[in-house]
Amino acid sequence: PAASVVGTDGFGTLNNCANGYTPWGTYLTCEENINGYFGATTTASGSPVNDTTFVPNARESRYGFNAAGFGYNWHHHDARFDLNTAQGRAEADKFGWVVEVDPFNPNAKPVKRTALGRIKHEGAEHTLAADGRVVVYMGDDQAGEYIYKFVTKNKYNPTNRAANLNLLDEGTLYVARFAAGTVAGDNLGPGEWLELSMNVPVLAANFATLGDLLVNTRKAADLVGATRMDRPEWLAVNPTAPGEIYCTLTNNSGRTAGTVDEANPRANNRYGHIIRWTEDEQNASARSFQWQLFVQCGDPTLSDASRQGNIQGDKFGSPDGLWFDDRGILWVQTDISTSIVSRPLAERGDYRNIGNNQMLAYDAVDGVFKRFLTGPRGCEITGVVTTPDLRTMFVNVQHPGEPAS
């Protein structure tokens, strides 16, 4: 079909990463590394080649768009993905959203819920606020990006499914700021949810409309002074501790000593960490919270203290997937880079003692991480769910055997 340059229609979804669901039974699929599918060519037909003279605008640069993309070369065959066409540049803004899919209605079109912001989405974890509004927590999966939450305008109606189907269209988007505590180095402190709307003067001065702001969600978060995190990925709501939320921060080897902070305390953070917070009054719609570092990952057998971490139990690094079962057991999955786990152990550098990607279980009663399974070489462990009786578990083993290059 013909593309809509003005952006009122979107055709398809891509690079769907982690997911979520809603209380009314719809599925939320999250568009992540959207920039990799776009590129720029020197010609509109014939045998196009990458155009190294392509200059992204500020928004395109902020989301990583460039002439070559990830090498998929879609832009060589479809003008929708060619950034040297007006169509391609308009198309780029149509990706980077949370997409709601209704599995109970095969005739329903999937809907991009733009009110939740345009980022490199990694998951959409929901819970209910004290007044019945729906709250969705989201991570932007790139080093130095942010943690967000969205609070719906209207309340969830448990007796009328149809009344909830557009609930995610209206509400308020927030981004997290993690402030330092009163004692330096204790890795805990207060936090604040910063509103991203046209009600905020600095945002109203920089964006023409709410739609403009949402397409530029990363810039809006920059402007309000949110905390840059070490690659925010999955989030999980603790079912046994009201208002308690966890987020995996996979790694950030690019963080320098001059940019560390209490919530991201390690320079060259190759192992990552997990942060948790409790919303004030245990209410998910609260504007403030109290946070602490849950665990710093690493290898306690190394001599360098900055790489040892503080794990009790089995060691791991690069935490990614995160999920609570109904008992309150926290399941943690790792995503060590394929460039590392596809190599023999002796060639894995900082990860030589950790092994392949794995899934661990954490029970708050004993405070110990216990390895549950290990994947084959070259894979990522990502995604887990059980049947209600907890007798059957489904675990996703992604791209096993993938080579290092």
Side-chain angles (χ1 to χ4, degrees):
S4 169
V5 174
V6 296
T8 55
D9 295 298
F11 298 106
T13 181
L14 49 76
N15 210 104
N16 306 91
C17 192
N19 64 289
Y21 64 95
T22 68
W24 50 95
T26 56
Y27 183 82
L28 303 176
T29 183
C30 303
E31 297 176 337
E32 190 195 15
N33 291 312
I34 55 171
N35 55 307
Y37 296 80
F38 290 79
T41 61
T42 55
T43 61
S45 60
S47 301
V49 295
N50 289 335
D51 183 357
T52 56
T53 64
F54 169 74
V55 178
N57 61 32
R59 181 175 70 255
E60 291 163 341
S61 179
R62 187 71 176 80
Y63 286 83
F65 289 91
N66 57 50
F70 289 170
Y72 300 148
N73 292 332
W74 288 16
H75 60 292
H76 286 184
H77 307 281
D78 189 338
R80 286 180 63 199
F81 301 96
D82 187 347
L83 295 170
N84 270 345
T85 67
Q87 181 183 3
R89 297 188 88 150
E91 198 73 21
D93 290 340
K94 299 177 192 174
F95 296 95
W97 308 101
V98 172
V99 185
E100 185 173 10
V101 180
D102 188 350
F104 297 99
N105 182 359
N107 297 316
K109 288 184 179 180
V111 180
K112 299 200 176 189
R113 298 300 183 188
T114 55
L116 277 66
R118 177 172 173 264
I119 58 176
K120 293 184 177 180
H121 282 281
E122 179 92 12
E125 174 78 352
H126 88 274
T127 190
L128 293 179
D131 62 1
R133 289 181 293 165
V134 178
V135 178
V136 181
Y137 294 95
M138 300 166 287
D140 188 350
D141 182 9
Q142 190 166 321
E145 292 302 334
Y146 305 112
I147 295 171
Y148 298 84
K149 82 172 178 182
F150 176 78
V151 182
T152 60
K153 176 182 177 181
N154 298 313
K155 299 176 182 179
Y156 167 59
N157 188 334
T159 63
N160 184 353
R161 183 175 190 267
N164 302 311
L165 292 179
N166 291 310
L167 203 55
L168 298 181
D169 263 355
E170 293 185 274
T172 305
L173 184 64
Y174 300 91
V175 64
R177 176 190 287 155
F178 295 83
T182 56
V183 179
D186 62 358
N187 301 127
L188 55 85
E192 179 183 4
W193 290 107
L194 307 171
E195 183 174 338
L196 300 179
S197 80
M198 299 300 284
N199 296 326
V200 180
V202 69
L203 300 181
N206 280 273
F207 301 106
T209 64
L210 178 60
D212 182 27
L213 183 158
L214 292 170
V215 169
N216 289 273
T217 298
R218 284 181 165 181
K219 179 181 177 181
D222 294 341
L223 288 169
V224 297
T227 302
R228 292 184 176 273
M229 308 298 287
D230 286 349
R231 240 184 106 194
E233 300 222 36
W234 291 52
L235 294 107
V237 175
N238 189 343
T240 64
E244 187 175 86
I245 320 297
Y246 291 65
C247 180
T248 49
L249 300 162
T250 297
N251 50 50
N252 183 4
S253 59
R255 188 177 286 276
T256 64
T259 61
V260 298
D261 54 47
E262 289 286 302
N264 305 273
R266 290 193 290 189
N268 192 14
N269 185 11
R270 288 163 285 191
Y271 290 107
H273 56 287
I274 302 174
I275 198 168
R276 68 178 173 190
W277 64 90
T278 300
E279 301 279 19
D280 282 359
E281 299 181 351
Q282 301 178 331
N283 183 4
S285 64
R287 292 290 300 273
S288 55
F289 56 88
Q290 299 296 315
W291 68 267
Q292 67 178 135
L293 287 191
F294 172 55
V295 65
Q296 293 190 62
C297 304
D299 182 351
T301 66
L302 298 178
S303 58
D304 184 349
S306 68
R307 304 183 194 181
Q308 292 174 356
N310 59 3
I311 297 169
Q312 300 299 310
D314 292 318
K315 57 183 175 289
F316 64 96
S318 296
D320 187 348
L322 198 64
W323 181 71
F324 274 102
D325 66 29
D326 291 340
R327 302 167 298 176
I329 302 298
L330 180 64
W331 298 90
V332 180
Q333 301 173 313
T334 70
D335 181 17
I336 306 167
S337 171
T338 300
S339 64
I340 295 174
V341 294
S342 292
R343 301 182 184 281
L345 287 173
E347 299 176 11
R348 295 186 185 183
D350 294 336
Y351 280 89
R352 60 188 177 274
N353 299 322
I354 288 180
N356 293 343
N357 279 309
Q358 58 187 288
M359 185 166 78
L360 306 102
Y362 174 85
D363 187 347
V365 174
D366 59 18
V368 174
F369 287 91
K370 299 175 182 177
R371 186 178 299 111
F372 178 76
L373 62 81
T374 301
R377 181 180 293 182
C379 85
E380 172 187 352
I381 304 295
T382 175
V384 55
V385 70
T386 64
T387 51
D389 62 7
L390 298 176
R391 294 176 63 86
T392 303
M393 174 177 278
F394 299 90
V395 181
N396 185 44
V397 178
Q398 183 170 286
H399 54 70
E402 185 176 50
S405 59

